[in-house]
Amino acid sequence: MRLLLLDENVPRPLHLVLTSFVLNHDIIHLLDLPGWSGTREETLYPRAAAEGFHVVLTNDGRQMQRPREVAAIAASGLHRIEYPHKHPGLVGMGTAIATVAAGLPSALALLEESSGPRLITLRGVDPTVASRLRVIDPALNAPKFWPTSR
């Protein structure tokens, strides 16, 4: 069993979803740890490593562009999993949940076999209507066996 820390920017509903299907890991949201809220990334990763965490899940896509944060991540020896969170509201929450739910189990299995820290980016789910829905108007294109009015 491994300890997975959800960064402060991970929405709480995603935590609830993850704890319902990722059963062989302890998943803890940073906001549930007394005194951790507002921890800067430069101190978050060393602190998480010292507390026994193995993985940090975040949606901070710019984190790997900040030299001090990258240095702290590297020095911690922790795995880092990032997922995109580009859309607001229910669509954003839905795509985040879908992205993490689809990719996290494979990422965690890969990390079990790794010999050192890994940086993983989960690929996003496209929320556009054309990619998520197939709509058929049976009046224009009736499926096989669709009853027709007489």
Side-chain angles (χ1 to χ4, degrees), residues 102-143:
L104 188 62
S106 297
L108 293 174
L110 182 123
L111 295 179
E112 290 293 328
E113 305 296 320
S114 68
S115 59
R118 299 291 186 264
L119 307 172
I120 297 176
T121 300
L122 303 178
R123 296 181 186 246
V125 173
D126 184 354
T128 61
V129 172
S131 72
R132 303 303 316 151
L133 305 175
R134 178 175 163 233
V135 178
I136 296 173
D137 182 346
L140 301 175
N141 187 15

Side-chain angles (χ1 to χ4, degrees), residues 18-147:
L18 292 178
T19 56
S20 68
F21 78 87
V22 179
L23 304 176
N24 57 343
H25 290 72
D26 286 331
I27 302 172
I28 300 170
H29 201 289
L30 181 142
L31 295 175
D32 293 330
L33 297 171
W36 284 57
S37 182
T39 303
R40 298 184 49 87
E41 305 300 347
E42 296 90 22
T43 57
L44 173 65
Y45 281 84
R47 186 176 184 182
E51 292 292 326
F53 286 96
H54 299 97
V55 181
V56 174
L57 178 71
T58 184
N59 66 35
D60 186 350
R62 295 180 306 219
Q63 195 173 57
M64 296 303 292
Q65 298 170 3
R66 300 181 199 118
R68 288 184 298 183
E69 291 180 28
V70 171
I73 294 165
S76 74
L78 294 177
H79 303 295
R80 179 185 180 274
I81 301 175
E82 170 188 332
Y83 69 94
H85 192 86
K86 303 174 186 176
H87 306 281
L90 186 56
V91 169
M93 183 56 60
T95 56
I97 289 170
T99 297
V100 176
L104 188 62
S106 297
L108 293 174
L110 182 123
L111 295 179
E112 290 293 328
E113 305 296 320
S114 68
S115 59
R118 299 291 186 264
L119 307 172
I120 297 176
T121 300
L122 303 178
R123 296 181 186 246
V125 173
D126 184 354
T128 61
V129 172
S131 72
R132 303 303 316 151
L133 305 175
R134 178 175 163 233
V135 178
I136 296 173
D137 182 346
L140 301 175
N141 187 15
K144 189 175 183 177
F145 307 118
W146 188 263

